[in-house]
Amino acid sequence: HLAESVNPLISGYMRTSLKTLRGHLSYIENSFIYSYNNGRIEGINNKIKVLNRVAYGYRNFMNYKKRILIHFKLKPVESNLRQLHLEAA
């Protein structure tokens, strides 16, 4: 059990590991209780980083942004001014 005192014969590495586990115990328990995680966001960030390495030669940011939107099959967000202009017409 993590709350018990540590045997003095345990190595320093194991002491450090136990200290880390104790510090993060509430978060570890929450991971078993709740089904939420950030895996999807981490995957998206990783894909964007790969695109960044592959797309080193893009001339401007808008081309890079369009490539990301195409990759994830997303629609670009229209600015508020353009939406207001379309609604007024």
Side-chain angles (χ1 to χ4, degrees):
H1 195 266
L2 291 176
E4 295 174 3
S5 62
V6 179
N7 186 334
L9 301 176
I10 291 179
S11 72
Y13 293 114
M14 187 57 127
R15 287 177 195 272
T16 303
S17 298
L18 289 172
K19 183 178 177 183
T20 302
L21 284 173
R22 283 188 192 112
H24 293 93
L25 188 58
S26 63
Y27 305 116
I28 295 169
E29 289 172 346
N30 284 342
S31 73
F32 290 108
I33 296 170
Y34 302 104
S35 62
Y36 303 112
N37 63 48
N38 63 347
R40 185 176 301 257
I41 298 298
E42 291 293 332
I44 290 171
N45 286 341
N46 185 42
K47 285 183 181 181
I48 290 173
K49 286 180 182 180
V50 169
L51 275 174
N52 194 25
R53 285 193 295 271
V54 172
Y56 183 73
Y58 281 123
R59 290 179 181 236
N60 63 38
F61 178 75
M62 290 309 295
N63 289 342
Y64 175 62
K65 181 179 174 182
K66 288 175 186 176
R67 180 66 182 108
I68 291 171
L69 294 174
I70 289 169
H71 185 77
F72 291 107
K73 299 175 184 155
L74 300 173
K75 294 181 182 178
V77 177
E78 294 185 19
S79 70
N80 290 339
L81 293 176
R82 183 174 176 150
Q83 287 176 343
L84 289 174
H85 177 71
L86 292 174
E87 289 173 2

